[in-house]
Amino acid sequence: DTAVSQTPKYLVTQMGNDKSIKCEQNLGHDTMYWYKQDSKKFLKIMFSYNNKELIINETVPNRFSPKSPDKAHLNLHINSLELGDSAVYFCASSQGTGRGYTFGSGTRLTVV
Amino acid sequence: GNSVTQMEGPVTLSEEAFLTINCTYTATGYPSLFWYVQYPGEGLQLLLKATKADDKGSNKGFEATYRKETTSFHLEKGSVQVSDSAVYFCALSDQNDYKLSFGAGTTVTVRA
């Protein structure tokens, strides 16, 4: 199936740990994104890569570091996790501008 | 900058009722407009879109018309079902921008 897939679906970890979330798309899109959805369902863009180049880097703590080894993959690494990092993180992809995104099913991160 | 304002929820309806979710936008250019739906525990799915003024997007019985004069893109469905219970997001994307700007989301619950 053509899709945006992200792993893991659930992640429970302790404060201070380092964790990664992986995302892959097989749609042939040239741009990938990370969004954070808080408990009130509000969506906030974090990062975007276009053909492995960082093009959007919103105000995000530098504990969050994206990496794009190729245009089909975009990973998110989080250092020194804090309670406030608990949220659902969505990966998405698009082709060009103004066309909307295809989203992954999300990773629910819980920091305890 | 670009922004989207949508009707606050939650909205609770009975089956076969008429649904309207208001969405207005602010944009500097000529954006494309989208409605996304998020079913419980899932990622966002594109519901419908419109790319220019007076375009009507439609899907699964939902409709929205791009109104440039009122900068609106209201979502409507004539007869909702329990399976329409979800969070609905209005969004816009400028033709020259990779970023998709979302409204705050409206939670809709349909009761049998």
Side-chain angles (χ1 to χ4, degrees), chain A residues 31 33 35 37 97-98 100-101, chain B residues 32 34 36 38 89 95 98 100:
Chain A
T31 309
Y33 309 82
Y35 274 77
Q37 185 176 48
T97 58
Y101 299 169
Chain B
S32 294
F34 307 87
Y36 281 83
Q38 184 179 22
F89 293 91
Q95 295 299 324
Y98 287 96
L100 192 60

Side-chain angles (χ1 to χ4, degrees), chain A residues 9 30-31 33 35 37 40-43 45 48 50 55-56 58 90 94 96-106, chain B residues 32 34 36 38 40-46 49 51 87 89 93-105 107:
Chain A
K9 189 170 176 63
D30 58 8
T31 309
Y33 309 82
Y35 274 77
Q37 185 176 48
K40 295 186 178 180
K41 303 294 186 183
F42 185 77
L43 286 156
I45 192 167
S48 177
N50 176 259
I55 58 170
I56 297 175
E58 295 289 298
F90 285 103
S94 72
T97 58
R99 297 186 185 185
Y101 299 169
T102 301
F103 281 85
S105 57
Chain B
S32 294
F34 307 87
Y36 281 83
Q38 184 179 22
E42 298 184 13
L44 281 77
Q45 302 174 26
L46 179 64
K49 67 178 182 181
T51 57
V87 182
F89 293 91
S93 178
D94 192 281
Q95 295 299 324
N96 299 315
D97 191 357
Y98 287 96
K99 186 176 173 180
L100 192 60
S101 298
F102 285 92
T107 299

Side-chain angles (χ1 to χ4, degrees), chain B residues 68-85:
Chain B
K68 191 166 182 293
E69 64 277 11
T70 54
T71 61
S72 65
F73 193 54
H74 305 321
L75 182 68
E76 297 181 337
K77 185 172 186 181
S79 177
V80 293
Q81 305 300 313
V82 172
S83 57
D84 294 324
S85 298

Side-chain angles (χ1 to χ4, degrees), chain A residues 13-19 78-83 111-112:
Chain A
T13 188
Q14 291 188 326
M15 280 175 53
N17 283 351
D18 303 338
K19 291 293 179 185
I78 315 169
N79 289 326
S80 303
L81 278 154
E82 299 177 358
L83 292 176
V111 182
V112 297

Side-chain angles (χ1 to χ4, degrees), chain A residues 11-94:
Chain A
L11 186 52
V12 181
T13 188
Q14 291 188 326
M15 280 175 53
N17 283 351
D18 303 338
K19 291 293 179 185
S20 292
I21 306 171
K22 295 185 176 182
C23 180
E24 175 181 5
Q25 57 95 4
N26 61 4
L27 298 164
H29 289 169
D30 58 8
T31 309
M32 295 184 72
Y33 309 82
W34 280 112
Y35 274 77
K36 180 181 180 180
Q37 185 176 48
D38 64 22
S39 59
K40 295 186 178 180
K41 303 294 186 183
F42 185 77
L43 286 156
K44 179 178 168 56
I45 192 167
M46 301 173 70
F47 303 103
S48 177
Y49 273 76
N50 176 259
N51 284 319
K52 301 194 296 177
E53 179 185 350
L54 182 65
I55 58 170
I56 297 175
N57 186 359
E58 295 289 298
T59 306
V60 175
N62 57 14
R63 298 181 294 103
F64 290 78
S65 54
K67 282 191 179 174
S68 181
D70 54 62
K71 74 172 191 176
H73 296 84
L74 179 60
N75 303 323
L76 182 65
H77 188 74
I78 315 169
N79 289 326
S80 303
L81 278 154
E82 299 177 358
L83 292 176
D85 298 331
S86 296
V88 180
Y89 292 84
F90 285 103
C91 178
S93 69
S94 72

